[in-house]
Amino acid sequence: MRLHSLAADGLIAAALTTVAVLLGTEAVAQGWPALDPLAWTLVALLTLPLVLRTRAPVTVCLAVHACWALYVTLDYWPVVGSFGPMLAVYTVASLRPTRTAAVCAALLAGVWIYAGLRSDAGSMASVAGQAVGFPLVLWRFGYVARRTGELTLRLRAEQADRARREVAEERVRIARELHDVVAHHIAVINVQAGLARFVFRSDARTAREALDTIEGASGEALAELRRMLGLLRADGVQGADGAPAPGLDQLDEMVTRVRTGGVGVELRVTGTPRPLPPGVQLCVYRVVQEALTNVLKHAPGAEAAVELAYRAGEVTVSVTDDGPVEGLDPVTPAERGGHGLIGMRERAKLYGGTILVGPRSEGGFGVRLTLPTPVQAARRGDAVRE
């Protein structure tokens, strides 16, 4: 559970106030005057403003030091009021430049020596050592905290920038593959249009079938083109491969290749198989490919299972494994290449689907992708009962 910064500062101020009150009750036992209402008011002014220490660190630091100097001038026990100024100096050092922190540290040292002079301390050497040592330590800790915070912010910015670049690269790669899908549809349309024109007068039935095929292929091509243009609008880059886009009919070949790599893979198909748009097939294929590649890298010797399920209104594919075999070293995180998880999520989002990736309660790892079936596939028999 993470607290809001103001709430956390409020708790710290309350804790310091409690400590100051407990010490104030011991003032008489330490040979100092008992704290009266004015003293208690100054103690509150020394600690309660720390609630705003991260929002106005320099102002709070100057205010509590002024109250502490007045508290010391009235000859109250200085130790009771020392915690607020010390925390204020640390805060300035952790949030402001070194020069500002040095001025606040010098202010703490000055009031500390003033308190020693007012109390007629037996050993001013000890007071001077404390006046130098405590501000230096507080400044150093604050400086380290500030540098750590700056480095953390820089690291997060670099990670966010790297993630954006990886997403852009993955989207371009997906767009190239979708280009192949659209090119496939256009080729089908071209062939069927030529056929329809050739048999238009001699075979009306064949011509109608060719036109029906053109209608379905053009609809799917338009849907794929919209998806591809959506990616290209985000990235402003386009390109195309010459290789054909793989589909579900090549899952068996992929599973065979993975088996030769030392992973026992079982492929199961449930429901009634039916034609799916090439883009959906490509999405399923790439997710299975990435999941099995991760099994090869990070779970050597594992047994894996790929289940492709045709359901009413959707198609689901899951890839699970039972974890690496003892004695076989998986690829360490430093050796992992690419950005497969990002690619899986981008593909699922592109087709309006969902994906779950993570360790399984019974051991091993699992990936589950669910994609809605397009309207064109429903017309070809998507109302399948499980």
Side-chain angles (χ1 to χ4, degrees):
M1 182 177 62
R2 300 182 60 183
L3 290 176
H4 189 274
S5 59
L6 187 61
D9 291 337
L11 292 176
I12 293 174
L16 287 182
T17 303
T18 302
V19 172
V21 169
L22 294 176
L23 282 175
T25 59
E26 298 293 326
V28 176
Q30 297 296 325
W32 293 86
L35 272 63
D36 54 21
L38 177 58
W40 289 120
T41 301
L42 291 174
V43 169
L45 292 176
L46 281 165
T47 55
L48 295 182
L50 296 173
V51 174
L52 303 175
R53 67 188 184 93
T54 56
R55 300 193 174 189
V58 177
T59 302
V60 170
C61 183
L62 295 177
V64 297
H65 275 84
C67 291
W68 192 30
L70 178 59
Y71 178 89
V72 170
T73 302
L74 296 175
D75 294 327
Y76 296 113
W77 189 18
V79 175
V80 176
S82 62
F83 298 102
M86 293 172 69
L87 180 59
V89 169
Y90 166 81
T91 304
V92 172
S94 64
L95 297 177
R96 293 293 181 264
T98 303
R99 184 173 300 178
T100 303
V103 173
C104 292
L107 179 61
L108 174 62
V111 178
W112 199 288
I113 292 176
Y114 174 67
L117 294 174
R118 293 286 304 181
S119 62
D120 295 327
S123 176
M124 279 304 298
S126 175
V127 173
Q130 295 172 9
V132 173
F134 287 158
L136 282 178
V137 171
L138 293 170
W139 171 82
R140 179 60 183 176
F141 276 113
Y143 173 80
V144 171
R146 179 166 61 87
R147 289 293 299 162
T148 301
E150 292 173 352
L151 292 175
T152 300
L153 291 177
R154 187 182 306 171
L155 178 61
R156 288 177 180 173
E158 291 177 355
Q159 290 175 338
D161 182 65
R162 187 183 303 113
R164 285 192 296 269
R165 289 199 306 270
E166 290 177 351
V167 168
E169 292 170 1
E170 185 64 26
R171 285 180 175 179
V172 169
R173 189 166 70 89
I174 296 173
R176 289 171 178 168
E177 294 175 345
L178 291 180
H179 173 277
D180 297 334
V181 173
V182 174
H184 164 78
H185 285 304
I186 297 301
V188 171
I189 291 172
N190 182 61
V191 172
Q192 294 296 323
L195 175 62
R197 184 179 61 179
F198 182 75
V199 300
F200 186 77
R201 297 182 183 278
S202 60
D203 191 344
R205 179 180 177 182
T206 301
R208 284 195 300 270
E209 291 176 352
L211 292 175
D212 290 340
T213 302
I214 291 174
E215 179 186 12
S218 62
E220 293 178 0
L222 285 174
E224 300 294 347
L225 187 60
R226 291 190 189 100
R227 294 188 180 100
M228 182 172 66
L229 290 178
L231 290 176
L232 298 181
R233 287 192 191 103
D235 297 293
V237 182
Q238 64 179 356
D241 295 333
L248 298 183
D249 56 345
Q250 295 174 269
L251 284 180
D252 281 323
E253 181 181 347
M254 183 205 304
V255 168
T256 301
R257 289 198 305 268
V258 174
R259 287 197 188 107
T260 61
V263 175
V265 185
E266 179 185 0
L267 175 62
R268 296 191 297 270
V269 179
T270 61
T272 304
R274 58 187 180 276
L276 293 175
V280 174
Q281 295 191 47
L282 177 62
C283 178
V284 173
Y285 181 92
R286 291 303 189 200
V287 168
V288 173
Q289 183 182 50
E290 181 62 35
L292 290 179
T293 300
N294 287 338
V295 174
L296 282 169
K297 288 182 178 179
H298 311 305
E303 295 290 329
V306 179
E307 181 175 356
L308 177 64
Y310 293 90
R311 296 190 172 93
E314 64 183 22
V315 60
T316 301
V317 63
S318 63
V319 182
T320 58
D321 66 79
D322 55 6
V325 175
E326 293 185 7
L328 296 179
D329 295 329
V331 175
T332 60
E335 296 172 306
R336 295 177 186 176
H339 35 272
L341 294 181
I342 293 177
M344 290 182 188
R345 295 191 184 98
E346 286 297 309
R347 290 179 185 279
K349 183 171 66 174
L350 179 65
Y351 287 92
T354 58
I355 189 165
L356 298 175
V357 181
R360 304 164 62 211
S361 58
E362 60 269 33
F365 204 80
V367 175
R368 181 181 179 87
L369 171 69
T370 302
L371 296 177
T373 304
V375 176
Q376 291 85 350
R379 291 173 179 171
R380 294 195 295 265
D382 192 30
V384 177
R385 300 290 183 181
E386 292 189 63

